[in-house]
């Protein structure tokens, strides 16, 4: 059975977005992008909320047609288009790009999806991750800590009713100063 892996970029002070929802501080160079491609190409599906999926769908479906983008970015465009995507939305009626819309996060349905896909599931939305966390559905957190202090913005982890113990299973420093921290949700 695959794992549900929450993947997020975060500032050193714990924000995933700046105060105006900006993410222009994410440091993604070719080395880090290739790392993402290697990891995400093996996933069974991408799980996202409506806003995150909409941001991805604005750029990635045709990004590889732009001759100015790097090789790793063009490769990711193909990965994103071909990967099955599950979007949780109460308002969308339809979408493109190999995407299924689900209205609610139902733990038993998520566990069935986890058991039936051909790999791990990448969870990439902060609000959705909060719901998955509350339901005990996240197996690992992969946090890409960017070398920036934003001072304010939207925190990656909001208040929760209970504590979650984590076990550090790996770390890696990239040439641009981003540090990957991989945590398994403790038992």
């Amino acid at each position: 059975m695959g794992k549900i892996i929450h993947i997020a970029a975060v500032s050193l002070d714990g924000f995933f977005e700046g105060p105006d929802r900006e993410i222009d501080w994410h440091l993604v160079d070719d080395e880090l992008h290739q790392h993402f491609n290697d990891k995400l190409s093996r996933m069974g599906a991408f799980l996202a909320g409506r806003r995150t999926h909409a941001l991805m769908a604005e750029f990635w479906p045709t990004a590889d047609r732009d001759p100015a983008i790097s090789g790793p970015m063009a490769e990711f465009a193909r990965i994103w288009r071909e990967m099955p995507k599950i979007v949780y939305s109460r308002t969308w009626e339809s979408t493109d790009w190999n995407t299924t819309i689900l209205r609610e996060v139902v733990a038993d349905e998520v566990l069935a999806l986890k058991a039936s896909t051909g790999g791990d599931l990448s969870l990439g939305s902060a609000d959705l991750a909060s719901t998955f966390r509350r339901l005990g559905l996240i197996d690992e957190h992969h946090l890409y800590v960017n070398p920036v202090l934003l001072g304010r913005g939207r925190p990656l982890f909001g208040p929760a009713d209970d504590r979650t113990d984590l076990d550090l299973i790996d770390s890696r420093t990239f040439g641009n100063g981003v540090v990957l921290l991989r945590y398994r949700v403790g038992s």
Side-chain angles (χ1 to χ4, degrees), residues 10-24:
V10 64
S11 66
L12 185 59
D13 50 353
F15 298 107
F16 75 94
E17 290 179 331
D20 296 316
R21 303 194 80 127
E22 70 273 10
I23 58 171
D24 58 346

Side-chain angles (χ1 to χ4, degrees), residues 5 10 16 21 23 25 42 47 58 64 72 79 83 85 92 94 110 117 120 122 126 153 169 179-181 187:
I5 301 174
V10 64
F16 75 94
R21 303 194 80 127
I23 58 171
W25 49 271
R42 295 188 307 267
L47 308 175
E58 283 179 20
D64 54 348
I79 292 167
M83 184 65 61
K85 290 167 277 303
W92 276 2
S94 65
V110 173
T117 57
D120 295 336
S122 170
I169 55 176
V179 175
L180 165 61
L181 300 173
S187 44

